[in-house]
Amino acid sequence: MPITTTILDHRQDEPGDLKEWAPYSRYRLVEVTWKKMLAAGVILGWGSGSAPPPGRVYNTECNCSHGVQGEMFPIFVKWGASPLYTLRMATTVNAEIIHKQDSLGSIEKGKFADMIAVTGDPLTDITEMQRIKFVMKGGAVVRNDLAAGMMMSSK
């Protein structure tokens, strides 16, 4: 049975939890449980991490914290996952969890794929996933910080 974990809301709530239950918090308990699941070979997918209020509101359009999930990559690596597995959690593993691996989860002919790009190698520095420079959604470029950098460097 696969598990997807939402961790940003628990991390945000930790100061209040510690006031009430120190040295315990939901975030610390999730970390312990997640590490045990990883070690046991449980299929771990990517939770949204974007709980609605009273959590942190990053995106006022959805009244949620969509847009900061990149913060979860280094957390999962710190908890013992390889950078490659964390990237797979957010792509191929999640596609398999929802039984859409034939149409989602990887960049292949005939599959739907939104794409992002970073300038560094997330396999050597997973925090690169927090510095997205290019986004293509539904075939349309919605962000391209790379083009500006290329124009400046070619002068």
Side-chain angles (χ1 to χ4, degrees):
M1 174 70 62
I3 302 288
T4 60
T5 307
T6 301
I7 59 174
L8 297 180
D9 52 346
H10 294 307
R11 184 185 67 181
Q12 176 179 305
D13 294 340
E14 186 175 37
D17 285 358
L18 289 172
K19 285 179 186 173
E20 192 167 347
W21 303 307
Y24 304 102
S25 71
R26 286 172 282 194
Y27 182 67
R28 291 177 185 187
L29 293 173
V30 166
E31 177 182 358
V32 169
T33 303
W34 195 91
K35 287 176 176 180
K36 288 178 180 179
M37 291 187 299
L38 179 68
V42 172
I43 298 168
L44 298 168
W46 195 266
S48 72
S50 60
R56 171 178 57 173
V57 175
Y58 175 79
N59 184 327
T60 55
E61 186 176 319
C62 70
N63 200 29
C64 64
S65 60
H66 275 292
V68 294
Q69 289 82 4
E71 294 175 19
M72 296 190 322
F73 285 101
I75 293 169
F76 288 136
V77 168
K78 179 182 171 208
W79 289 358
S82 70
L84 180 60
Y85 189 72
T86 63
L87 294 171
R88 287 182 176 160
M89 287 170 62
T91 55
T92 57
V93 172
N94 270 10
E96 291 170 9
I97 289 172
I98 64 171
H99 306 289
K100 295 283 187 177
Q101 64 270 23
D102 293 339
S103 59
L104 300 173
S106 59
I107 301 170
E108 298 176 61
K109 185 178 179 179
K111 288 189 174 185
F112 179 81
D114 294 337
M115 297 184 354
I116 61 98
V118 297
T119 56
D121 180 359
L123 296 179
T124 57
D125 179 5
I126 197 64
T127 67
E128 284 294 330
M129 298 304 293
Q130 295 174 269
R131 295 183 290 278
I132 305 299
K133 303 295 184 190
F134 176 89
V135 178
M136 180 180 283
K137 182 166 179 56
V141 175
V142 296
R143 179 178 181 174
N144 189 355
D145 299 343
L146 296 173
M150 284 189 256
M151 293 174 74
M152 291 177 73
S153 65
S154 65
K155 290 183 178 183

